[in-house]
Amino acid sequence: GVAPLGQLTLQKEHQIQFQLMEATFYHMPQPCDSERLRNYLQRQPVQTPPHYPQQQLPHSDTFEFFQRLSTETLFFIFYYMEGTKAQYLAAKALKKQSWRFHTKYMMWFQRHEEPKIINEEYEQGTYIYFDYEKWGQRKKEGFTFEYKYLEDRDLN
Amino acid sequence: DRALSGPTSYIHSGMLQARTTDVVDTDGFAEKTEHLFRHWVYTYHNEMNGRDPVKYFGSFVNRMNFLGVLKGDEQLTKFFTIATKMCIEASYRNLADTTITQAIAKTKTYHWIDAYVRLIALLVRHSGDGSNSNTKLNLLNKVLGIVVGILLQDQEQLHGANFQQFGYQRIFIMLFLELSAHDAILENISVGVVTAFCHTYHMLRPANAPGFCYAWLELISNRVFLGRILAMIPQQKGWFMYSQLLIDLFKYLAPFLRNAELAKPVTVLYKGTLRVLLVLLHDFPEFLCDYHFGFCDVIPPNCIQMRNLILSAYPRNMRLPDPFTPNLKVSTLADITTPPRICTNYTAAIQPASFKKDLDSYLKQRAPVTFFAELKRNLQISNEPGSRYNIPLMNALVLYVGTQAIAHIRLKNQVPSKQTVASSAHMDIFQNLAVDSDNEGRYLFLNAIANQLRYPNSHTHYFSCTLLYLFHETNSEAIQEQITRVLLERLIVNRPHPWGLLITFIELIKNPEYEFWKHDFVHCAPEIEKLFESVARSCMVKTNN
């Protein structure tokens, strides 16, 4: 380095500043400090080998990208990344694939066939749903999907 | 340093009260408050699960009322002081717990802080009636002041070198995010909220709270904060405030950077600063343009790249002609007649008032010559090498004289050129500074000129002509060598390079009238010679085609 104006001895106050800064240098802020608390998937920074991807793919935060993900991946994102943009995009992608969210059971349903009954209040028929406790898709026959439990916000 | 009126006064009173609040609990108020607050944290996580707290908030306010917390200022201050201290104590207690990992220690602490922050946000939002923003902002400022007071006390007296920044950082960032939510009432007070946080961060600037400096940089460069203060507040009202925070940062770094001995803790902070500047250069170039003068004033002369980042900024709607275009006629560009916007009051730095008066009178009458003795007396402030000169005065003087010169040339219906900048009161001053200064003074003077070589505008054009004129008109190799040095040292660093700087340097080495290649200093050492040749090759390459 160069110091065109020559060296200056640090003043006492600067030395004190440096000492406090050096002490705090050993406990730096971490990304999680300024983010909402994550219940699952907390950040765990580790040194990864340089030949591994260090960054996410470009455009992986777009709706188009999420549409290419498997249904199970979308369910994983939905349940394990609560309150994030990823959750929003996953929900949007699931809706696009005709999955509907049931706000009482907190599960996603998809018509297996045309419902047998459709009226103002509900529809009834055979549905596929994703069971987040057993972590898998299940079929339910003769299920009544009441529209008051239908999550119908416009995700735009 | 700011007027102690309006909301700011609440920060200060909160800060002072937090530092003087007695812990002696005669009436059991503190104990009851602790109990109450603990109950809120429990309810927040267990019963409402962080969702829809408004119902619980109502009954909580009733409990607060019952306890007398809302009776007056004193009780309210006590409540926030106790609650803040409980959160911070949790952070130290959890970190000291050897049975849990650090990540768990932090998570446990954030349980306290996130619940507390939500409570503050709700109290702010619901205080006063809906339209009364003063009550809300006064309360917010009060709470922020209390946290500041506790932080400073913690660092100075309580923990010293064992001070932990993350608890405070969490309070500030989460509270800011809470108050930036989409909500009509909060959006009504958003300017006041940003202002309150700006004052808070200014009080916690690294010079005041060095143990908080990394968290502080995180806070001021936070995505949401940056977006709010630079983009969402109308009429760029946040720009000045944000420039003050950056100046706080540069001022703190300056003594460490100017010695060029970068210890690890300084390097990390410096790198963070560069990243913030890069973000600003990319997203808010006009902000860097407007405040470049104030920034250059506090950045040490040897921080070439840091300054280049600021000087390379140009308005986004502008197209810069490629400096390497052969026969580029700068004087024909339309932009060079437009003055740049300078949002720093640099004229105010020309002190004392009597000196400013004499300066103006010299510029008008080109007399008396005794003015130059006065000039020297005012610029030289000590005899200690390396700090002989009043750098802000030098910078202000150079820009002021330059702008006056441009106006003067305009008045004669001319445009700045090597001919029109010559023989005037303005050029007298510049030539005097170039000839009669020692190396240190001349270096600072030439740097002050080079700081104006930016995107195409009237200042860039004028100072480019001036620098070339000074090079041409002197018989002193020393001056020419120093001009070359100042230009070259700003070009041999990594990109970005300011447009005006490149233009000036290319003109110097290309135009035969400067006889650049005949100078001894160009050939003083083989590596310097090689350097010039490689710079020349990159500058000339298109002319040969």
Side-chain angles (χ1 to χ4, degrees):
Chain A
V2 284
L5 300 182
Q7 299 282 326
L8 271 194
T9 3
L10 287 183
Q11 308 277 311
K12 185 116 203 289
E13 52 170 315
H14 300 137
Q15 289 174 11
I16 295 170
Q17 285 171 359
F18 183 80
Q19 283 162 8
L20 285 169
M21 174 164 62
E22 195 180 28
T24 212
F25 171 72
Y26 295 101
H27 18 85
M28 280 284 175
Q30 261 130 44
C32 64
D33 293 336
S34 34
E35 292 172 346
R36 291 196 189 287
L37 211 51
R38 302 182 181 190
N39 288 323
Y40 316 98
L41 305 174
Q42 273 118 8
R43 281 180 187 266
Q44 292 172 331
V46 285
Q47 193 80 49
T48 51
H51 50 273
Y52 275 58
Q54 306 288 314
Q55 280 166 344
Q56 290 181 346
L57 289 171
H59 310 296
S60 59
D61 56 349
T62 58
F63 178 51
E64 289 71 31
F65 182 88
F66 274 69
Q67 281 185 286
R68 282 157 46 198
L69 299 175
S70 72
T71 321
E72 190 176 341
T73 309
L74 294 174
F75 287 129
F76 177 79
I77 295 169
F78 183 82
Y79 287 109
Y80 285 87
M81 300 173 79
E82 205 189 328
T84 63
K85 188 182 175 190
Q87 189 195 34
Y88 162 80
L89 289 171
K92 208 171 153 178
L94 284 168
K95 276 197 170 181
K96 188 92 194 272
Q97 295 174 34
S98 304
W99 287 90
R100 297 290 173 259
F101 190 64
H102 195 291
T103 55
K104 186 178 164 197
Y105 300 121
M106 308 295 266
M107 287 185 204
W108 290 84
F109 286 77
Q110 196 182 42
R111 286 179 186 171
H112 186 61
E113 50 176 34
E114 253 322 281
K116 303 229 166 28
I117 311 169
I118 298 185
N119 61 31
E120 290 277 285
E121 264 109 52
Y122 63 87
E123 58 181 60
Q124 200 179 64
T126 307
Y127 291 82
I128 307 284
Y129 68 98
F130 189 82
D131 184 338
Y132 62 83
E133 278 171 346
K134 305 224 167 66
W135 202 256
Q137 291 190 19
R138 299 271 181 284
K139 196 156 86 178
K140 206 172 192 94
E141 282 165 29
F143 177 69
T144 309
F145 198 130
E146 291 182 70
Y147 289 145
K148 66 175 176 182
Y149 295 124
L150 176 66
E151 212 291 325
D152 60 353
R153 259 184 300 173
D154 205 7
L155 290 189
N156 275 311
Chain B
D1 46 344
R2 276 167 214 260
L4 292 187
S5 62
T8 323
S9 65
Y10 285 84
I11 297 192
H12 282 275
S13 81
M15 189 174 117
L16 289 175
Q17 283 166 345
R19 301 186 77 154
T20 50
T21 298
D22 254 330
V23 271
V24 189
D25 186 22
T26 44
D27 51 0
F29 180 82
E31 201 191 320
K32 282 181 206 148
T33 303
E34 284 179 19
H35 181 76
L36 182 67
F37 181 60
R38 204 170 277 127
H39 181 75
W40 169 260
V41 176
Y42 177 83
T43 318
Y44 178 80
H45 288 289
N46 293 292
E47 290 186 32
M48 55 195 171
N49 213 356
R51 287 192 187 91
D52 187 34
V54 178
K55 194 174 72 190
Y56 291 90
F57 176 67
S59 69
F60 187 76
V61 169
N62 287 340
R63 283 161 160 262
M64 282 178 93
N65 236 336
F66 183 69
L67 193 63
V69 173
L70 304 173
K71 207 163 62 188
D73 189 53
E74 194 195 334
Q75 284 83 354
L76 201 61
T77 303
K78 263 194 188 170
F79 173 81
F80 285 118
T81 308
I82 289 166
T84 308
K85 283 186 174 167
M86 282 171 78
C87 288
I88 295 305
E89 276 158 18
S91 81
Y92 284 101
R93 189 177 56 242
N94 289 325
L95 272 191
D97 186 347
T98 49
T99 61
I100 53 174
T101 66
Q102 213 189 45
I104 295 174
K106 281 194 166 181
T107 306
K108 285 179 104 174
T109 309
Y110 294 155
H111 265 91
W112 285 84
I113 293 176
D114 293 358
Y116 180 37
V117 162
R118 176 62 64 83
L119 177 64
I120 300 172
L122 285 167
L123 284 169
V124 168
R125 193 187 176 284
H126 294 281
S127 68
D129 56 66
S131 58
N132 190 346
S133 53
N134 279 344
T135 323
K136 300 180 202 310
L137 290 173
N138 292 346
L139 179 65
L140 173 64
N141 277 287
K142 183 88 176 189
V143 177
L144 288 172
I146 288 169
V147 181
V148 169
I150 291 172
L151 190 160
L152 292 175
Q153 196 178 37
D154 184 357
Q155 187 197 243
E156 287 158 18
Q157 294 157 21
L158 227 57
H159 290 95
N162 295 319
F163 173 77
Q164 286 283 353
Q165 53 189 346
F166 78 96
Y168 300 99
Q169 182 193 348
R170 183 79 176 181
I171 295 179
F172 289 125
I173 191 62
M174 285 300 147
L175 187 55
F176 189 78
L177 294 180
E178 287 281 341
L179 296 173
S180 306
H182 291 290
D183 173 295
I185 291 181
L186 292 177
E187 271 156 31
N188 246 340
I189 57 167
S190 68
V191 176
V193 169
V194 173
T195 310
F197 275 87
C198 248
H199 287 316
T200 303
Y201 295 160
H202 179 64
M203 284 200 283
L204 292 175
R205 60 191 177 273
N208 278 0
F212 192 61
C213 66
Y214 301 110
W216 185 87
L217 184 59
E218 287 274 326
L219 290 172
I220 70 153
S221 58
N222 176 269
R223 196 170 55 88
V224 181
F225 181 67
L226 215 58
R228 288 254 149 182
I229 196 164
L230 293 180
M232 284 175 73
I233 299 184
Q235 289 139 21
Q236 301 172 350
K237 275 187 194 150
W239 284 23
F240 175 75
M241 291 193 288
Y242 196 68
S243 79
Q244 292 299 302
L245 293 177
L246 281 186
I247 286 174
D248 287 339
L249 176 61
F250 298 150
K251 271 190 182 160
Y252 175 75
L253 278 168
F256 304 109
L257 293 181
R258 84 159 259 170
N259 278 355
E261 277 176 3
L262 293 196
K264 203 82 205 282
V266 180
T267 312
V268 173
L269 196 62
Y270 169 70
K271 279 193 177 160
T273 307
L274 287 189
R275 295 182 81 152
V276 177
L277 283 174
L278 269 174
V279 169
L280 292 170
L281 178 65
H282 186 268
D283 289 354
F284 303 98
E286 290 90 354
F287 167 73
L288 291 181
C289 287
D290 285 3
Y291 290 92
H292 92 287
F293 186 85
F295 297 152
C296 287
D297 243 8
V298 289
I299 295 176
N302 60 329
C303 298
I304 311 283
Q305 185 165 42
M306 203 158 138
R307 213 177 22 227
N308 271 358
L309 281 171
I310 292 162
L311 299 180
S312 299
Y314 60 92
R316 252 172 300 193
N317 58 4
M318 193 178 262
R319 307 268 307 149
L320 303 195
D322 180 1
F324 300 108
T325 315
N327 307 318
L328 176 69
K329 285 272 179 288
V330 176
S331 52
T332 60
L333 299 175
D335 292 320
I336 62 156
T337 56
T338 318
R341 209 156 57 149
I342 310 272
C343 291
T344 313
N345 182 7
Y346 59 93
T347 330
I350 305 179
Q351 293 289 347
S354 63
F355 173 62
K356 170 76 169 36
K357 222 174 110 203
D358 292 344
L359 171 66
D360 282 329
S361 115
Y362 184 85
L363 290 178
K364 211 172 269 169
Q365 294 156 18
R366 221 176 163 179
V369 278
T370 50
F371 169 73
F372 293 110
E374 200 196 335
L375 178 67
K376 199 174 194 137
R377 206 171 43 245
N378 278 289
L379 278 173
Q380 283 208 22
I381 46 171
S382 86
N383 282 320
E384 197 185 325
S387 37
R388 282 205 189 99
Y389 290 89
N390 181 346
I391 299 181
L393 176 60
M394 178 76 89
N395 290 339
L397 182 79
V398 166
L399 183 55
Y400 179 71
V401 172
T403 52
Q404 295 295 308
I406 296 168
H408 182 72
I409 294 168
R410 282 276 167 70
L411 217 59
K412 296 192 285 183
N413 271 326
Q414 291 172 325
V415 286
S417 71
K418 259 165 281 166
Q419 288 76 41
T420 56
V421 300
S423 67
S424 64
H426 314 87
M427 191 47 86
D428 288 349
I429 293 175
F430 288 159
Q431 279 185 308
N432 180 273
L433 287 171
V435 177
D436 284 350
S437 302
D438 56 11
N439 281 336
E440 184 181 330
R442 197 181 302 120
Y443 182 71
L444 296 171
F445 163 63
L446 295 171
N447 264 312
I449 292 186
N451 287 348
Q452 310 307 326
L453 303 176
R454 301 187 289 150
Y455 59 92
N457 62 53
S458 65
H459 293 182
T460 298
H461 185 51
Y462 170 79
F463 283 106
S464 176
C465 293
T466 299
L467 203 58
L468 292 168
Y469 178 83
L470 290 173
F471 188 95
H472 194 243
E473 289 304 304
T474 181
N475 299 319
S476 151
E477 276 271 304
I479 296 177
Q480 290 171 326
E481 180 177 346
Q482 245 181 330
I483 292 175
T484 310
R485 179 217 164 125
V486 165
L487 291 173
L488 189 70
E489 74 180 359
R490 289 174 184 231
L491 290 171
I492 54 173
V493 296
N494 287 330
R495 292 194 307 159
H497 303 124
W499 181 87
L501 193 75
L502 273 167
I503 288 289
T504 311
F505 190 69
I506 291 171
E507 175 70 8
L508 187 65
I509 63 172
K510 259 168 78 168
N511 192 332
E513 81 179 79
Y514 299 108
E515 301 186 312
F516 182 77
W517 302 101
K518 288 196 186 142
H519 292 289
D520 283 342
F521 59 81
V522 180
H523 309 285
C524 65
E527 60 268 34
I528 298 280
E529 205 169 350
K530 271 208 189 101
L531 182 70
F532 276 114
E533 278 166 15
S534 87
V535 174
R537 252 199 314 278
S538 61
C539 295
M540 308 290 203
V541 67
K542 285 181 184 164
T543 23
N544 298 339
N545 291 341

